[in-house]
Amino acid sequence: MVRSGEEPRSAGHAVDGTGPVRSRERFLQGEPVEQGVRTSILDSWRRCRTLGLSPDQSDLPFLEDFDPDGRIVRAAVPVLDRLQARFSGSEINISVADAHGTVLLRRFGEASLARRLPAIQRVPGFVFAERVAGTNGIGLALAERQLIRVYGAEHFAERSQASACVALPVRDPLSGRIEGVLCFGYPRGAENPALRAVIRKAAQAMERRLLGQSSGRERALLRAYLTTGAESAGSPHRGIAVEELAPELSTRDQAALMEKAAELISRAQRAAVDVPLSDGRRITLVSRPMTSASGVEGIAVEAVLPYSSPEEPLVIPRQVEEVAGFPAELAVVSAGRPAARLFATAQAGYLPDAAPGRFAAGAKGVTAAGASGPDGVDGVDGVDGVDGATDDRPVPSSSARRLVLMGEPLVGAYALAARRRLELLSEASGRIGATLDVRRTAEELAETAVPRLADFVTVDLSEAVLRGEEATDTLDDLRRTVVHGIRDDLPFTPVGKRTDFGPATSRLRCLAGGQAVLEPDLKAAAGWLTEDPEHAERLPADVHSLIVVPLVARGVVLGIAGFYRAQDPAPFGDDDRALAQELATRAALSIDNARRYTHERTMVLALQRRLLPHGLPDQDAVEVAHRYLPAESDVSGDWYDVIPLSGTRVGLIVGDVVGHGMLSAATMGRLRTAARSFAELDLPPDEVLTHLDNLVGRLDREDPDGEGVGIIGATCLYAIYDPTSQRCVLARAGHPPPALVRPDGKVSYPELPAGPPLGLGGLPFDAVEIDLPEGSQLVLYTDGLIEDRHRDVDVVLDELRGTLAHAERTPEETCQAIMDTVAPAHPCDDIALLVARTHALDPGRIATWELPADPAFVGEVRASALGRLADWGLDEAAFAAELILSELVTNAIRHGAGPIRVRLLHDRTLICEVSDSSNTAPHLRRAASTDEGGRGLFLVAQLSRAWGTRYLPQGKVIWAECGLGAA
């Protein structure tokens, strides 16, 4: 956008091939000049080229029928007279143009300029709009809608190369609309930075005179109302201010009355409407036309009340005499007629189209109290279109009418529009950013703006932002994210498609300058059709005005929003641009928060998934299926695992770390690793939970934050299933109990001791052993599946019971059915689900022998084992198995205690187990060359894939696994 404070550049030919002249020549030749020209000038040059303007064009349109006595002229004449006196003797050319670029007034610092300058620079009536005159002060000030400086070769037309100018739009303080442009022209060698301060003060003086015109009209209306009331006959009436309508009238009720009064004024019709108060009462507002002696037309809004007190004396306050200039004779009433107290003030109102924070008297109309009006309400008709309007409304005989608000219809419309904009901003603050989803936040922006601000809204975001990353080059990776409007057949680029913009488009200017761009009339805007060439033929019939706003947060452009107007015939104005900018700013901050949250959530989710099992181990004890569903809001620390154990057993574990975010995910990884390590030590479930409890407590104590900050907690359920006995041992630490589906379809929730959550410390865990017939399904889950703020846990458990009552389903089908029917649609917590269908090891693949602690029986057991291996067809593994059994049985006889039990299990591997009643564990050691023994376990370790010790309630088991192809 324009940087009005930039230093001027030389307009002559630069010896080094740079400068405005060289840049202009390069631009006309089609070469890139982005680095040598101000953004506003380059944008204007591009628009001129798109419009097909020629640099050597000398003629400009001339209008003979322009209004020589319009509002802007009446406001400008005294100001221009003072400027002419100030610049007397200088070569300053002062001009005032209307909002279409037609020059209406001219003044010259030196009288001879009027004779020496060409006609287009001295005669009013020429049009300097950019679309016909190219880059110039007046045209560019109207296009950019702010202070503009154009210097020498920055002019597009060659006729202006020797000149410089500074121009500033003049706005109506009431509506904020541009009424005209004030421009100072001078030779390019007479550049003076002080001119920018002078032109600002002069424009402000013109704006104050425009406001004075509006205030004078309002005072004339109030004077006519008071005169009419003083001359009327009948019973007296007391005019009161809004806050005096009822002693206990609340601020909210006052605001409602003022809003309805402004709406009635904006309707410019006779109407009557009931306004409900917060306490259940109703006040009737009546509007009727008023005309002042000078012909000013307006609307008076009165409150019709069933109660009045006419005994108070009539007093005209000083502010009425001083501000409004009312004649003192208005205080004189007919003999014997009591009068009411009079009070009138000009309402101070927010100017929606002015600069932020600006206020001016008379913006909403005139509020009067004590202004007595004509008797009765006869002739006041209801008007369609005004809420609550009624026809022939009966009025109590004792009622009185009190003036609430008076003003011109346009003034009421401005006040009403300002209130509606404030309401929209208030709603936007609570609506935009309600979620932490980038796309949804963009949709909330569009839904808030349609239809109260725009008829159609498009939002384009950087692809990096949609992924949760920092935006890099926004111009090259914009993706259409939202298209929303008053109807479905939207003539815009569809969602998901990449959007590209031409060099002269308003979107490119918006992104390059970082400011909102307003195109009041799209048909007159250059290059806008190239923004959407695929739909260009449909767009002109649907939209006529556009505001393009960048979505900027923390100095980074995230994307762009386009606001289109179609049904409302009024074009967008600067007040609408300011409103769109405010909405976009709020949305951009919310989008950036959502982006940063998305980035963090993506990282946490990636860590979470990386720490979860990537595949299931090979084992035949259970058939397993699993699911993991992260929460919509944040990722927590849920996990599951399947752990093969010795003796064909398998461990099933599900856990949940308290909290969300990176800490929970990292803690989950540590706990899962520790749980797997404890499980592979062949510890029973209750002991595994005890070790995990100690670990969590230690993590809390080692927390660098300390003193209860970031306390870690977790729940866990661990089950060990043995396919040889078809029994399962379970223990839990504050975790929901599992669901058990019997082969006949009966569903139950085994009663397990709850146990304390991990991390409390000092409390024991109890294990329970249950029978699991072959074909049973064990369902383990985290609390995210059943606990939901919108559902009762017992109801959810009943739903789960009904879903599981299909024993014929495979674990995969069971998982999917649970996620489809039981899992919440929008989970607030992670869900980890593990379904295991049990299998039983064929008794024919199990061989057991019991023998006393006597070495004489070792050979007998060895021979029986070799025979069984031959029956199983495992002759190749016989040699290794024979040696392993000999060493294990010998060690049990020598170091253990009887009875001794030997078991062979034929599964994926050949498992040799020797158990005794001693708790003494063997230790592998490296025997010296002089030792006579100590090599038995070394041989076992070399001949087997794995070996270890498993403790029983009475004794231990030494086991070793041999590959089926071992020799």
Side-chain angles (χ1 to χ4, degrees), residues 643 645 649 651 674-683 688 718 720:
I643 308 170
L645 301 175
R649 298 172 308 141
R676 191 177 186 92
S677 299
F678 295 145
E680 289 179 346
L681 292 176
D682 273 327
L683 299 176
V688 169
Y718 182 39
I720 297 178

Side-chain angles (χ1 to χ4, degrees), residues 900-961:
I900 298 173
R901 187 169 181 264
V902 178
R903 187 170 71 163
L904 294 180
L905 302 176
H906 180 198
D907 192 40
R908 291 176 178 266
T909 60
L910 177 63
I911 303 173
C912 304
E913 294 183 347
V914 177
S915 61
D916 64 78
S917 57
S918 170
N919 290 326
T920 304
H923 296 283
L924 179 65
R925 66 183 182 89
R926 183 178 298 274
S929 58
T930 58
D931 290 344
E932 296 183 359
R935 298 177 178 82
L937 287 180
F938 180 77
L939 290 175
V940 171
Q942 294 298 312
L943 294 173
S944 63
R945 289 185 174 181
W947 74 280
T949 304
R950 180 172 73 250
Y951 290 94
L952 302 175
Q954 293 84 27
K956 64 179 182 297
V957 176
I958 310 298
W959 57 269
E961 291 186 6

